[in-house]
Amino acid sequence: MRSRLMGNCFVLACACVLGVAGCGTPGAPEPPSLNLPAAVADLSATRTGNTVFLSWTMPLKNTDKLMLKSDVSVRVCRTQDNSGCIEAGTVPFAPGADATWSETLPQALEQGAPRKLRYCVELKNRAGRSAGLSNEAIVLAGAPPAPVEGLSVEMRKQGAMVHWSSSDDTAAIRLHRKLLSPPPAKTKESLMTAPSAPLEQSLLIENVQQGQALDKTIRFGETYEYRAQRVARVTIDGKKMELSGELSAPVQVEARDVFPPTVPIGLVAVPTRAENGNSAAIDLSWEPDAEADIAGYIVYRREGDGAWQRISPPEPVVGPAFHDAQVQPGHQYRYAVAAVDQGGHESARSIEAEESAPND
């Protein structure tokens, strides 16, 4: 009996060692995590003048899907002409951070013909091990275009006219525009109107003429900052790439609408009768103004070479027509029309139209 019990205990002990369920002991331990930060997949690079800027998103987890708990060492790798990686710098970043890094290029890379320059980043754990290099981001080495000088901005009715000193007309110009005036607070009414202008915008001008360009996309009532840089566009390995010069000093402009509307055209005067049909009148019509901020029109009249008198009501005439019933039969009148915008700016008077009131 005693030997049988001892045999059963031996079988049970073996089962526990082998990890059979019901023993109350854990199975074989999992291998320890190597804590390798996940590789970066969204690296991007730009070059402005002689400075290269990199940006990427730091991972939150390692390759075992476990959260990273401390800063991660990032090695920046630069490669030219398929040669070996040259370490350009090592910096720490927190998990999940929007990482940025920049370097001034060595003198040898600031000169010569445009050529590809490749960047990668490698994230390492405390033991110096990594899960591999990031995606590749490419910029161009070589001599950049000359910087833009003499930048200035003046307002025109059609938009902001940007001027600069013209010294390298073979390169395109990129204008960088920043909205400085704060966007209005969102309300229920504003959600139904046109969307607000973007805070920053880039405009590439390829056909540069006489050192100037017109930005038609501004909005009156806003304040903007402009900077500019020359951009050489080259083809390497069948792909178009850009080599950008230094950014110019910034200039600011307040986009104030101080410009009157265009002068109305097509004014015609036709003799007619007043609405009751018993007295003389003259009907006027003209082509409507297509500008978005037109408030209406003002009608002027004079006899002979006398002074012009406003004959339309104090509020602008909304439509492109006017009925003048305050005329004397047989008298000859001269008419002109001016447009007025929402800001109260009045255009010059139109070409005159002359007509005689019908006799009774």
Side-chain angles (χ1 to χ4, degrees):
M1 181 68 178
R2 181 178 178 183
S3 60
R4 183 181 299 175
L5 288 174
M6 292 181 64
N8 289 340
C9 289
F10 175 77
V11 172
L12 183 59
C14 290
C16 291
V17 171
L18 294 175
V20 177
C23 295
T25 58
E30 293 290 331
S33 171
L34 296 177
N35 198 30
L36 297 177
V40 169
D42 64 347
L43 179 69
S44 63
T46 59
R47 178 184 172 186
T48 299
N50 292 324
T51 304
V52 173
F53 301 88
L54 302 185
S55 62
W56 68 92
T57 305
M58 292 292 293
L60 287 168
K61 298 180 179 180
N62 62 22
T63 54
D64 296 315
K65 309 300 182 184
L66 300 176
M67 299 296 293
L68 296 169
K69 297 180 180 180
S70 60
D71 287 358
V72 177
S73 177
V74 181
R75 172 176 171 261
V76 181
C77 177
R78 180 192 341 116
T79 304
Q80 179 190 0
D81 299 329
N82 297 320
S83 59
C85 169
I86 297 175
E87 184 172 321
T90 301
V91 286
F93 285 102
D98 293 327
T100 59
W101 179 89
S102 64
E103 73 161 344
T104 299
L105 289 176
Q107 187 174 8
L109 298 178
E110 297 175 0
Q111 301 173 349
R115 54 203 185 273
K116 286 185 177 181
L117 195 60
R118 296 172 169 85
Y119 283 86
C120 293
V121 294
E122 184 180 25
L123 279 56
K124 295 188 175 184
N125 64 10
R126 292 184 177 180
R129 302 180 65 181
S130 78
L133 295 173
S134 69
N135 63 296
E136 189 177 70
I138 301 176
V139 296
L140 291 180
V148 172
E149 297 180 347
L151 191 69
S152 64
V153 185
E154 62 174 329
M155 292 308 304
R156 301 279 181 87
K157 184 175 179 60
Q158 299 82 9
M161 181 63 77
V162 185
H163 302 270
W164 60 88
S165 299
S166 180
S167 63
D168 184 5
D169 292 333
T170 61
I173 294 289
R174 175 168 281 113
L175 297 179
H176 298 268
R177 190 186 74 194
K178 180 186 296 185
L179 178 63
L180 298 182
S181 47
K186 290 186 177 180
T187 63
K188 291 183 179 179
E189 291 76 13
S190 67
L191 294 176
M192 303 298 293
T193 60
S196 58
L199 296 180
E200 295 190 28
Q201 196 165 3
S202 176
L203 310 170
L204 182 66
I205 305 162
E206 295 190 82
N207 298 318
V208 178
Q209 296 181 356
Q210 300 177 352
Q212 64 181 25
L214 180 64
D215 179 7
K216 297 181 180 180
T217 64
I218 60 98
R219 293 185 180 182
F220 286 114
E222 306 285 8
T223 301
Y224 297 95
E225 177 187 274
Y226 285 89
R227 302 183 78 178
Q229 63 184 158
R230 286 191 170 87
V231 179
R233 308 193 76 191
V234 298
T235 301
I236 296 180
D237 297 335
K239 182 179 179 181
K240 277 197 171 183
M241 300 186 68
E242 294 184 356
L243 180 56
S244 301
E246 292 285 353
L247 283 168
S248 69
V251 294
Q252 294 183 13
V253 62
E254 183 180 355
R256 296 178 58 198
D257 185 3
V258 296
F259 307 99
T262 56
V263 178
I265 61 174
L267 178 63
V268 176
V270 178
T272 184
R273 293 285 177 179
E275 293 179 358
N276 56 19
N278 296 325
S279 58
I282 295 178
D283 280 340
L284 304 173
S285 63
W286 56 91
E287 293 185 18
D289 196 311
E291 295 179 56
D293 64 341
I294 285 295
Y297 306 90
I298 299 173
V299 181
Y300 293 93
R301 185 186 71 189
R302 68 176 177 174
E303 289 190 65
D305 293 328
W308 287 105
Q309 294 182 340
R310 177 173 178 163
I311 61 173
S312 57
E315 292 296 322
V317 176
V318 176
F322 184 77
H323 180 75
D324 183 13
Q326 305 300 316
V327 296
Q328 296 295 322
H331 284 228
Q332 192 171 45
Y333 298 94
R334 295 179 179 180
Y335 294 91
V337 180
V340 61
D341 63 18
Q342 300 289 347
H345 305 111
E346 183 178 337
S347 74
R349 288 188 292 268
S350 67
I351 296 175
E352 299 178 19
E354 189 172 354
E355 189 53 75
S356 296
N359 291 314
D360 290 339

